[in-house]
Amino acid sequence: MAGQLLPAGAVAFATGLLAWPLIGRFAPAWGWLVLGAAGSIGALVASPAGAGPMPAQIALRAGADDESPITTALRGDDGDRPGALGVVALIVVALALFGIGWAGVAQARLQAGVLVRTVPASVRLEASLRTDPTPGPYGWSAIADVGVLETDDRVVVVRERVWISGSEPIPAGLERGDRVAIEGALEVPDDLGFRTALHRRGIGVLVSAGEVRRLGPSDNVIIRAAQSFRNAARRSFRALLPQREAGLLMGLALGDDADLDPALERDFDAAGLGHLLVASGGNVVMVLAPALWFAGLLRLPPKARFVLGVGVVSWVVLVTGGEPSVLRAGVMAGFGLLGAVSGRPRSGAALVGGAVLTLLVLDPWLVWSIGFQLSVAATVGLVALATPIADRLSLLPHPLALAAGTTLAAQLGVTPVLLFHFREVPGTTVAANLAAFGLVAPSMLLGSGAAAAHLVWEPLGRAIVPFALVPIRGLEFVADRSAKAPIPTLASGGGVPVLVLGTVAVLAIAWRLRSGRRFSRTAVLCAIVIAPTFAWWVALGAGPPDDGLEVRFFDVGQGDAALVSSPGGARVLIDGGPDTDEVATDLATLGVRRLDLVVASHPHADHIVGLPAVLARFKVGTVLEPGCPDQEGALRPQLLDAIADEHVPIRHPRAGAAYVVGDMRIDVLSPVACFSGTESDLNNDALVLRVAWRGRVVLFATEPEEPAQEAMLEAGVDLRADVLKVPHHGAATSVPEFFQAVDAATAIVSVGENSYGHPVPSTLDAIEATGAQVWRTDEHGDITVTLGGQGPVSVVVER
């Protein structure tokens, strides 16, 4: 029970920070801080001399290895009178109130910032890059700390963060820590979701950069040294290892994903191993432990070990870029070292609580970081459950029991958070992490050792490489095999209830295991019954539909994705939406394990960005793709690379091609050949598909514009269908005759929030003039259409 106050206080403070958007409006920030101060004063008043430890004493002593200070406080000094139960409660409440007020202060500072008050304006900025530039579909982005703001009429020194959005290629050699000069337009994002996401990172504005010039490395000599170290390590990794393995090792050791193979990253994510690809608390442990061992060999005094340990931890944080999980581990290690040198070692719970509380006070925006949340949850799971679980696995050899206990404990800790944010936990996660447990440290140590040796004497580095490649390729093998393992996914609908129920379940498991009691059969049965309340119920009904052809049009925002399922068990995915993981997650929640056919209608981002993750996670029979040039970007080559990496057959059909998929027939109606010279050749090249089952027809008119539609009409193509997927999100790019020829009873518009005005009234009027009933994903969410052997079309909507 040791060290309960600091963890409880950290949870209370974090809850207060998260609660500000919901309840902060009921009082100004200073009001909440005053209430928190009143609570603290109340705790002091409620703890008179002789009634037990003062609150400050409790907090300072929390986590000592002796008897729990809270237990002492509750019992009282004389052992028979009530102690500080009310005091502890008041401290926790006060910290929650302080958290609300502190979030308000941070928000006020953000809104009152010089950059926010300057927009909109053309500006020149001098800044230091906080993150490495990240390439995207339409340019690149990075976060920077601005030092100087210059407009046409003033020059101001500022200390604020900004989001850089660049449309030109990334300047050569630009990396985290560099000083840059930026010229561009300062603005507040119009998109509410993006604006909120920036606010949760402590950023109020973005600059659309017209020009970015590198001024040089950081002014700070220590940061420059860290930059030089990272660059030297990169050069060694690239010189010694194959490209794929070098990229993986850079991710494992440095948290640097610049060279990470996209297909490998998808495999790790699908297997539940994505946390290994970024720097984490494990990096701190793997560097600090050898350093302290070496200090022990040298018999350094405690204070010297403390200085060495803090220096090593600080260096790891700098080199890895201050990732939230590394920061958490670094502060924990610092507190642990401080406790050791002072002769008052702290419990793991107190170290976690103290680290979290310290970091959130220094940077309240961290509370919104998913990486930080997962790191804390995993650490809490380890502290609370690793030893009890390992003790229950006494039949296993001790190292294996410890590995299993560690993996299971961390997984239990993060599962509620994963279900809340991502709505799923891959069923392979525990097995994959167990398999990877013994490979991560050898990969990092041998790979880093080879790189270090290479800098000193190249032949020695090359001699170590073959030994390093064994565990590295072992990790790749585990990720690849686990990604498509036919194991069900634990899924949920997301939301606060899932987080609360999951957390309560984990706390109950922790309490039971730490009490030394075994779970009764009744408790196990109750757990089995309760589990489906936070597991997405639709996954329980996975399997082919019984009452006809079923088409689920996913609500993916401004994009397209639809799953066609037949009573015979065939499944076809048509397009993958604009998000990298959303459709793959949706398929997992439906219990899908195999797709007979995947169609990439055309290489626009809103149709194919999600397909690489689908290919990585599910067995796919064949991919259909137009095979026409991508004149607008590099999306098609990226998709083709993903298809090739997963060894999936690909076809480039033309009008007249037909495919029999189980009990369905799919006819390709367009294009006859690749278009040239139209307003959008890419849209007109889109595959138009007629999906038929027992005389019922769904027409997937994905994105053809007037030229492609008129070509089909002139060729006399049979366009009649029961259900129409409306072309191009309902844009004004269709001819009314096309809808008349289709004559569908039901029309589905796949659309989201957009600046194009989709769907336009004229297109909706033309569809409704044919007698079709129109359904929209932006208004109704996921739309499931069922076509039985006869009778009307059945439509079920999410909202």
PDB file of all heavy atoms in Angstrom, residues 249-255 275-276 278-290 312 316 320 325-326 329 440 444:
ATOM      1  N   LEU A 249      16.396  -0.306 -36.689  1.00  0.00           N
ATOM      2  CA  LEU A 249      17.272  -0.072 -35.541  1.00  0.00           C
ATOM      3  C   LEU A 249      17.299   1.406 -35.154  1.00  0.00           C
ATOM      4  O   LEU A 249      17.364   1.740 -33.965  1.00  0.00           O
ATOM      5  CB  LEU A 249      18.690  -0.563 -35.862  1.00  0.00           C
ATOM      6  CG  LEU A 249      19.668  -0.599 -34.688  1.00  0.00           C
ATOM      7  CD1 LEU A 249      19.112  -1.432 -33.544  1.00  0.00           C
ATOM      8  CD2 LEU A 249      21.017  -1.151 -35.137  1.00  0.00           C
ATOM      9  N   MET A 250      17.198   2.291 -36.144  1.00  0.00           N
ATOM     10  CA  MET A 250      17.139   3.719 -35.821  1.00  0.00           C
ATOM     11  C   MET A 250      15.871   4.034 -35.022  1.00  0.00           C
ATOM     12  O   MET A 250      15.890   4.860 -34.118  1.00  0.00           O
ATOM     13  CB  MET A 250      17.178   4.542 -37.108  1.00  0.00           C
ATOM     14  CG  MET A 250      18.564   4.604 -37.740  1.00  0.00           C
ATOM     15  SD  MET A 250      18.561   5.213 -39.446  1.00  0.00           S
ATOM     16  CE  MET A 250      17.835   6.830 -39.242  1.00  0.00           C
ATOM     17  N   GLY A 251      14.775   3.352 -35.353  1.00  0.00           N
ATOM     18  CA  GLY A 251      13.557   3.536 -34.588  1.00  0.00           C
ATOM     19  C   GLY A 251      13.675   2.982 -33.186  1.00  0.00           C
ATOM     20  O   GLY A 251      13.277   3.628 -32.209  1.00  0.00           O
ATOM     21  N   LEU A 252      14.231   1.776 -33.069  1.00  0.00           N
ATOM     22  CA  LEU A 252      14.372   1.142 -31.758  1.00  0.00           C
ATOM     23  C   LEU A 252      15.292   1.933 -30.835  1.00  0.00           C
ATOM     24  O   LEU A 252      14.974   2.150 -29.659  1.00  0.00           O
ATOM     25  CB  LEU A 252      14.944  -0.274 -31.927  1.00  0.00           C
ATOM     26  CG  LEU A 252      14.044  -1.358 -32.520  1.00  0.00           C
ATOM     27  CD1 LEU A 252      14.853  -2.618 -32.766  1.00  0.00           C
ATOM     28  CD2 LEU A 252      12.881  -1.652 -31.586  1.00  0.00           C
ATOM     29  N   ALA A 253      16.438   2.357 -31.360  1.00  0.00           N
ATOM     30  CA  ALA A 253      17.464   2.950 -30.509  1.00  0.00           C
ATOM     31  C   ALA A 253      17.331   4.458 -30.346  1.00  0.00           C
ATOM     32  O   ALA A 253      17.607   4.998 -29.276  1.00  0.00           O
ATOM     33  CB  ALA A 253      18.854   2.617 -31.074  1.00  0.00           C
ATOM     34  N   LEU A 254      16.907   5.139 -31.423  1.00  0.00           N
ATOM     35  CA  LEU A 254      16.908   6.603 -31.410  1.00  0.00           C
ATOM     36  C   LEU A 254      15.524   7.220 -31.487  1.00  0.00           C
ATOM     37  O   LEU A 254      15.390   8.439 -31.387  1.00  0.00           O
ATOM     38  CB  LEU A 254      17.748   7.137 -32.590  1.00  0.00           C
ATOM     39  CG  LEU A 254      19.198   6.668 -32.673  1.00  0.00           C
ATOM     40  CD1 LEU A 254      19.840   7.192 -33.945  1.00  0.00           C
ATOM     41  CD2 LEU A 254      19.978   7.128 -31.457  1.00  0.00           C
ATOM     42  N   GLY A 255      14.492   6.403 -31.713  1.00  0.00           N
ATOM     43  CA  GLY A 255      13.167   6.963 -31.931  1.00  0.00           C
ATOM     44  C   GLY A 255      13.090   7.742 -33.228  1.00  0.00           C
ATOM     45  O   GLY A 255      12.268   8.651 -33.375  1.00  0.00           O
ATOM     46  N   HIS A 275       4.729   0.193 -30.435  1.00  0.00           N
ATOM     47  CA  HIS A 275       5.435   0.952 -29.388  1.00  0.00           C
ATOM     48  C   HIS A 275       6.939   0.741 -29.438  1.00  0.00           C
ATOM     49  O   HIS A 275       7.701   1.541 -28.871  1.00  0.00           O
ATOM     50  CB  HIS A 275       4.905   0.537 -28.011  1.00  0.00           C
ATOM     51  CG  HIS A 275       5.074  -0.915 -27.712  1.00  0.00           C
ATOM     52  ND1 HIS A 275       6.159  -1.399 -27.022  1.00  0.00           N
ATOM     53  CD2 HIS A 275       4.306  -2.003 -28.011  1.00  0.00           C
ATOM     54  CE1 HIS A 275       6.056  -2.710 -26.902  1.00  0.00           C
ATOM     55  NE2 HIS A 275       4.947  -3.113 -27.484  1.00  0.00           N
ATOM     56  N   LEU A 276       7.390  -0.326 -30.101  1.00  0.00           N
ATOM     57  CA  LEU A 276       8.826  -0.583 -30.184  1.00  0.00           C
ATOM     58  C   LEU A 276       9.520   0.338 -31.185  1.00  0.00           C
ATOM     59  O   LEU A 276      10.747   0.479 -31.148  1.00  0.00           O
ATOM     60  CB  LEU A 276       9.078  -2.036 -30.601  1.00  0.00           C
ATOM     61  CG  LEU A 276       8.573  -3.124 -29.645  1.00  0.00           C
ATOM     62  CD1 LEU A 276       8.856  -4.499 -30.219  1.00  0.00           C
ATOM     63  CD2 LEU A 276       9.222  -2.983 -28.268  1.00  0.00           C
ATOM     64  N   VAL A 278       9.267   3.541 -31.563  1.00  0.00           N
ATOM     65  CA  VAL A 278       9.576   4.886 -31.064  1.00  0.00           C
ATOM     66  C   VAL A 278      10.361   4.737 -29.768  1.00  0.00           C
ATOM     67  O   VAL A 278      10.277   3.723 -29.093  1.00  0.00           O
ATOM     68  CB  VAL A 278       8.300   5.701 -30.804  1.00  0.00           C
ATOM     69  CG1 VAL A 278       7.560   5.970 -32.093  1.00  0.00           C
ATOM     70  CG2 VAL A 278       7.386   4.988 -29.816  1.00  0.00           C
ATOM     71  N   ALA A 279      11.130   5.757 -29.471  1.00  0.00           N
ATOM     72  CA  ALA A 279      11.889   5.724 -28.224  1.00  0.00           C
ATOM     73  C   ALA A 279      10.930   5.636 -27.046  1.00  0.00           C
ATOM     74  O   ALA A 279       9.875   6.262 -27.032  1.00  0.00           O
ATOM     75  CB  ALA A 279      12.750   6.977 -28.112  1.00  0.00           C
ATOM     76  N   SER A 280      11.292   4.846 -26.054  1.00  0.00           N
ATOM     77  CA  SER A 280      10.408   4.638 -24.910  1.00  0.00           C
ATOM     78  C   SER A 280      11.228   4.587 -23.635  1.00  0.00           C
ATOM     79  O   SER A 280      12.445   4.774 -23.636  1.00  0.00           O
ATOM     80  CB  SER A 280       9.625   3.336 -25.079  1.00  0.00           C
ATOM     81  OG  SER A 280      10.506   2.229 -25.021  1.00  0.00           O
ATOM     82  N   GLY A 281      10.505   4.297 -22.542  1.00  0.00           N
ATOM     83  CA  GLY A 281      11.199   4.179 -21.262  1.00  0.00           C
ATOM     84  C   GLY A 281      12.248   3.096 -21.261  1.00  0.00           C
ATOM     85  O   GLY A 281      13.230   3.155 -20.511  1.00  0.00           O
ATOM     86  N   GLY A 282      12.064   2.096 -22.119  1.00  0.00           N
ATOM     87  CA  GLY A 282      13.057   1.029 -22.202  1.00  0.00           C
ATOM     88  C   GLY A 282      14.423   1.535 -22.619  1.00  0.00           C
ATOM     89  O   GLY A 282      15.455   0.992 -22.194  1.00  0.00           O
ATOM     90  N   ASN A 283      14.457   2.579 -23.463  1.00  0.00           N
ATOM     91  CA  ASN A 283      15.738   3.153 -23.859  1.00  0.00           C
ATOM     92  C   ASN A 283      16.492   3.697 -22.652  1.00  0.00           C
ATOM     93  O   ASN A 283      17.720   3.563 -22.554  1.00  0.00           O
ATOM     94  CB  ASN A 283      15.515   4.277 -24.871  1.00  0.00           C
ATOM     95  CG  ASN A 283      14.900   3.785 -26.166  1.00  0.00           C
ATOM     96  OD1 ASN A 283      13.754   3.341 -26.177  1.00  0.00           O
ATOM     97  ND2 ASN A 283      15.639   3.849 -27.250  1.00  0.00           N
ATOM     98  N   VAL A 284      15.759   4.329 -21.745  1.00  0.00           N
ATOM     99  CA  VAL A 284      16.391   4.875 -20.543  1.00  0.00           C
ATOM    100  C   VAL A 284      16.987   3.756 -19.704  1.00  0.00           C
ATOM    101  O   VAL A 284      18.137   3.827 -19.263  1.00  0.00           O
ATOM    102  CB  VAL A 284      15.362   5.679 -19.724  1.00  0.00           C
ATOM    103  CG1 VAL A 284      15.973   6.151 -18.407  1.00  0.00           C
ATOM    104  CG2 VAL A 284      14.859   6.872 -20.526  1.00  0.00           C
ATOM    105  N   VAL A 285      16.208   2.693 -19.506  1.00  0.00           N
ATOM    106  CA  VAL A 285      16.663   1.575 -18.674  1.00  0.00           C
ATOM    107  C   VAL A 285      17.885   0.912 -19.286  1.00  0.00           C
ATOM    108  O   VAL A 285      18.862   0.598 -18.585  1.00  0.00           O
ATOM    109  CB  VAL A 285      15.524   0.553 -18.490  1.00  0.00           C
ATOM    110  CG1 VAL A 285      16.026  -0.682 -17.757  1.00  0.00           C
ATOM    111  CG2 VAL A 285      14.366   1.191 -17.734  1.00  0.00           C
ATOM    112  N   MET A 286      17.856   0.685 -20.605  1.00  0.00           N
ATOM    113  CA  MET A 286      18.943  -0.048 -21.253  1.00  0.00           C
ATOM    114  C   MET A 286      20.252   0.717 -21.256  1.00  0.00           C
ATOM    115  O   MET A 286      21.318   0.123 -21.370  1.00  0.00           O
ATOM    116  CB  MET A 286      18.546  -0.409 -22.687  1.00  0.00           C
ATOM    117  CG  MET A 286      17.503  -1.501 -22.754  1.00  0.00           C
ATOM    118  SD  MET A 286      17.155  -1.972 -24.455  1.00  0.00           S
ATOM    119  CE  MET A 286      15.579  -2.784 -24.234  1.00  0.00           C
ATOM    120  N   VAL A 287      20.192   2.044 -21.159  1.00  0.00           N
ATOM    121  CA  VAL A 287      21.422   2.834 -21.103  1.00  0.00           C
ATOM    122  C   VAL A 287      21.831   3.089 -19.658  1.00  0.00           C
ATOM    123  O   VAL A 287      23.016   3.037 -19.316  1.00  0.00           O
ATOM    124  CB  VAL A 287      21.240   4.174 -21.861  1.00  0.00           C
ATOM    125  CG1 VAL A 287      22.489   5.025 -21.738  1.00  0.00           C
ATOM    126  CG2 VAL A 287      20.924   3.910 -23.323  1.00  0.00           C
ATOM    127  N   LEU A 288      20.847   3.346 -18.799  1.00  0.00           N
ATOM    128  CA  LEU A 288      21.157   3.675 -17.406  1.00  0.00           C
ATOM    129  C   LEU A 288      21.709   2.472 -16.644  1.00  0.00           C
ATOM    130  O   LEU A 288      22.663   2.618 -15.862  1.00  0.00           O
ATOM    131  CB  LEU A 288      19.909   4.212 -16.713  1.00  0.00           C
ATOM    132  CG  LEU A 288      20.055   4.611 -15.247  1.00  0.00           C
ATOM    133  CD1 LEU A 288      21.099   5.713 -15.086  1.00  0.00           C
ATOM    134  CD2 LEU A 288      18.712   5.056 -14.673  1.00  0.00           C
ATOM    135  N   ALA A 289      21.138   1.292 -16.869  1.00  0.00           N
ATOM    136  CA  ALA A 289      21.568   0.112 -16.107  1.00  0.00           C
ATOM    137  C   ALA A 289      23.050  -0.201 -16.318  1.00  0.00           C
ATOM    138  O   ALA A 289      23.796  -0.371 -15.336  1.00  0.00           O
ATOM    139  CB  ALA A 289      20.699  -1.088 -16.469  1.00  0.00           C
ATOM    140  N   PRO A 290      23.558  -0.276 -17.570  1.00  0.00           N
ATOM    141  CA  PRO A 290      25.007  -0.513 -17.737  1.00  0.00           C
ATOM    142  C   PRO A 290      25.865   0.594 -17.134  1.00  0.00           C
ATOM    143  O   PRO A 290      26.942   0.325 -16.596  1.00  0.00           O
ATOM    144  CB  PRO A 290      25.179  -0.571 -19.262  1.00  0.00           C
ATOM    145  CG  PRO A 290      23.831  -0.892 -19.802  1.00  0.00           C
ATOM    146  CD  PRO A 290      22.866  -0.245 -18.864  1.00  0.00           C
ATOM    147  N   VAL A 312      23.375  10.609 -17.690  1.00  0.00           N
ATOM    148  CA  VAL A 312      23.027   9.601 -18.694  1.00  0.00           C
ATOM    149  C   VAL A 312      21.564   9.724 -19.096  1.00  0.00           C
ATOM    150  O   VAL A 312      21.214   9.692 -20.283  1.00  0.00           O
ATOM    151  CB  VAL A 312      23.323   8.189 -18.149  1.00  0.00           C
ATOM    152  CG1 VAL A 312      22.689   7.124 -19.040  1.00  0.00           C
ATOM    153  CG2 VAL A 312      24.825   7.965 -18.061  1.00  0.00           C
ATOM    154  N   VAL A 316      19.999  10.636 -22.859  1.00  0.00           N
ATOM    155  CA  VAL A 316      19.050   9.795 -23.588  1.00  0.00           C
ATOM    156  C   VAL A 316      17.820  10.602 -23.993  1.00  0.00           C
ATOM    157  O   VAL A 316      17.325  10.493 -25.117  1.00  0.00           O
ATOM    158  CB  VAL A 316      18.633   8.573 -22.739  1.00  0.00           C
ATOM    159  CG1 VAL A 316      17.524   7.784 -23.435  1.00  0.00           C
ATOM    160  CG2 VAL A 316      19.823   7.671 -22.475  1.00  0.00           C
ATOM    161  N   THR A 320      16.913  11.185 -27.999  1.00  0.00           N
ATOM    162  CA  THR A 320      15.667  10.623 -28.526  1.00  0.00           C
ATOM    163  C   THR A 320      14.593  11.677 -28.755  1.00  0.00           C
ATOM    164  O   THR A 320      13.470  11.338 -29.161  1.00  0.00           O
ATOM    165  CB  THR A 320      15.110   9.552 -27.572  1.00  0.00           C
ATOM    166  OG1 THR A 320      14.935  10.119 -26.266  1.00  0.00           O
ATOM    167  CG2 THR A 320      16.068   8.380 -27.481  1.00  0.00           C
ATOM    168  N   SER A 325       7.150   9.267 -23.459  1.00  0.00           N
ATOM    169  CA  SER A 325       7.476   8.085 -22.661  1.00  0.00           C
ATOM    170  C   SER A 325       8.895   8.159 -22.114  1.00  0.00           C
ATOM    171  O   SER A 325       9.172   7.699 -21.001  1.00  0.00           O
ATOM    172  CB  SER A 325       7.304   6.816 -23.498  1.00  0.00           C
ATOM    173  OG  SER A 325       8.103   6.875 -24.664  1.00  0.00           O
ATOM    174  N   VAL A 326       9.803   8.746 -22.878  1.00  0.00           N
ATOM    175  CA  VAL A 326      11.183   8.898 -22.417  1.00  0.00           C
ATOM    176  C   VAL A 326      11.246   9.938 -21.297  1.00  0.00           C
ATOM    177  O   VAL A 326      11.972   9.764 -20.308  1.00  0.00           O
ATOM    178  CB  VAL A 326      12.109   9.296 -23.581  1.00  0.00           C
ATOM    179  CG1 VAL A 326      13.538   9.477 -23.092  1.00  0.00           C
ATOM    180  CG2 VAL A 326      12.076   8.235 -24.675  1.00  0.00           C
ATOM    181  N   ALA A 329       9.986   8.234 -18.158  1.00  0.00           N
ATOM    182  CA  ALA A 329      10.996   7.326 -17.614  1.00  0.00           C
ATOM    183  C   ALA A 329      12.188   8.094 -17.058  1.00  0.00           C
ATOM    184  O   ALA A 329      12.762   7.719 -16.027  1.00  0.00           O
ATOM    185  CB  ALA A 329      11.457   6.350 -18.696  1.00  0.00           C
ATOM    186  N   VAL A 440      14.306  -7.536 -28.282  1.00  0.00           N
ATOM    187  CA  VAL A 440      14.476  -6.082 -28.346  1.00  0.00           C
ATOM    188  C   VAL A 440      15.832  -5.655 -27.800  1.00  0.00           C
ATOM    189  O   VAL A 440      16.590  -4.931 -28.462  1.00  0.00           O
ATOM    190  CB  VAL A 440      13.346  -5.373 -27.587  1.00  0.00           C
ATOM    191  CG1 VAL A 440      13.591  -3.864 -27.566  1.00  0.00           C
ATOM    192  CG2 VAL A 440      12.000  -5.675 -28.222  1.00  0.00           C
ATOM    193  N   MET A 444      18.951  -3.876 -29.890  1.00  0.00           N
ATOM    194  CA  MET A 444      19.453  -2.540 -29.605  1.00  0.00           C
ATOM    195  C   MET A 444      20.920  -2.557 -29.184  1.00  0.00           C
ATOM    196  O   MET A 444      21.731  -1.762 -29.674  1.00  0.00           O
ATOM    197  CB  MET A 444      18.604  -1.890 -28.515  1.00  0.00           C
ATOM    198  CG  MET A 444      17.218  -1.482 -28.966  1.00  0.00           C
ATOM    199  SD  MET A 444      16.270  -0.701 -27.634  1.00  0.00           S
ATOM    200  CE  MET A 444      17.329   0.671 -27.209  1.00  0.00           C
TER     201      MET A 444
END
